[in-house]
Amino acid sequence: MDKHTVLLIVDLINPFDFKDAEKLYDASYTCAQQIAKLKDTMQEKGYPVIYVNDNYGHWKSEFTQLYHYIVENELPGSPIATLLKPSEHEYSVLKPQFSGFFATPLDMLLKRMEAKTLIITGVVGNMCIEFTANDAYMLGYHLIIPRDGFASFTEQEYQQSLTHFEEILKADTRSIEELIQKRDR
């Protein structure tokens, strides 16, 4: 990784109050713990972090309002949101649909940052992570999608996404610990 690397955290500032959320929650919390470690390392080294988050149909909302709403109302996603609490130095982009690039300023922001490599993390592997990664690949970004940095509803969906990332998108899927160790050298 070099100075042109950016960490994307997709949809983890999330109320987890939707149908079947309990099927996703444990895997999401586990990957959020790893992402928090990576986020801390990235911040220490001065690398940008961008929260790319669904607006959950709240068209008048703003990202920090969404975070406070989840935490203050102690919604099921509150422990994950607290673990990944955004800092004032981090960026956020609200998205209306699956891809972080569709109808958002994400690509423009990344170009201003002179980003070349994206570390994509979050939920759900075969939905928002996959759509965002596909668009990033089409836009020419090098992809790192850590195998322990995303979650899916089922193990089968997780494995299908991992295969897609490796074989189709040629993404680096090393673990977050391996990425952190590489960064410390």
Side-chain angles (χ1 to χ4, degrees), residues 36-95:
K37 293 176 193 175
L38 179 58
K39 177 184 153 185
D40 290 345
T41 300
M42 298 287 285
Q43 287 177 320
E44 288 169 10
K45 305 290 185 186
Y47 288 80
V49 174
I50 304 173
Y51 289 84
V52 179
N53 225 91
D54 199 301
N55 69 10
Y56 305 107
H58 300 279
W59 291 98
K60 293 183 179 179
S61 68
E62 185 265 324
F63 182 68
T64 55
Q65 289 174 325
L66 176 63
Y67 170 81
H68 289 294
Y69 172 76
I70 292 167
V71 172
E72 290 168 7
N73 289 292
E74 298 180 1
L75 297 177
S78 180
I80 293 174
T82 301
L83 181 64
L84 293 171
K85 182 180 180 179
S87 79
E88 61 187 41
H89 304 293
E90 296 165 333
Y91 300 86
S92 63
V93 172
L94 286 178
K95 62 185 181 68

Side-chain angles (χ1 to χ4, degrees), residues 24-156:
L24 181 64
Y25 186 84
D26 289 343
S28 298
Y29 188 81
T30 300
C31 84
Q33 290 174 309
Q34 293 302 107
I35 295 166
K37 293 176 193 175
L38 179 58
K39 177 184 153 185
D40 290 345
T41 300
M42 298 287 285
Q43 287 177 320
E44 288 169 10
K45 305 290 185 186
Y47 288 80
V49 174
I50 304 173
Y51 289 84
V52 179
N53 225 91
D54 199 301
N55 69 10
Y56 305 107
H58 300 279
W59 291 98
K60 293 183 179 179
S61 68
E62 185 265 324
F63 182 68
T64 55
Q65 289 174 325
L66 176 63
Y67 170 81
H68 289 294
Y69 172 76
I70 292 167
V71 172
E72 290 168 7
N73 289 292
E74 298 180 1
L75 297 177
S78 180
I80 293 174
T82 301
L83 181 64
L84 293 171
K85 182 180 180 179
S87 79
E88 61 187 41
H89 304 293
E90 296 165 333
Y91 300 86
S92 63
V93 172
L94 286 178
K95 62 185 181 68
Q97 290 194 338
F98 303 115
S99 174
F101 290 93
F102 178 75
T104 76
L106 181 59
D107 190 43
M108 182 183 299
L109 175 60
L110 292 168
K111 284 184 178 10
R112 292 246 171 138
M113 293 176 169
E114 299 179 1
K116 306 245 185 286
T117 299
L118 303 181
I119 303 174
I120 303 176
T121 63
V123 293
V124 170
N126 60 319
M127 291 170 29
C128 297
I129 302 299
E130 207 166 297
F131 278 90
T132 299
N134 288 340
D135 285 350
Y137 180 78
M138 292 293 294
L139 290 166
Y141 293 101
H142 174 257
L143 300 178
I144 300 173
I145 307 172
R147 64 182 59 247
D148 56 347
F150 72 95
S152 296
F153 282 96
T154 69
E155 181 63 23
Q156 180 182 1

Side-chain angles (χ1 to χ4, degrees), residues 157-172:
E157 291 170 342
Y158 169 85
Q159 289 298 332
Q160 288 171 339
S161 293
L162 184 62
T163 299
H164 177 80
F165 300 148
E166 292 173 342
E167 293 180 7
I168 306 300
L169 303 182
K170 310 301 182 210
D172 177 343

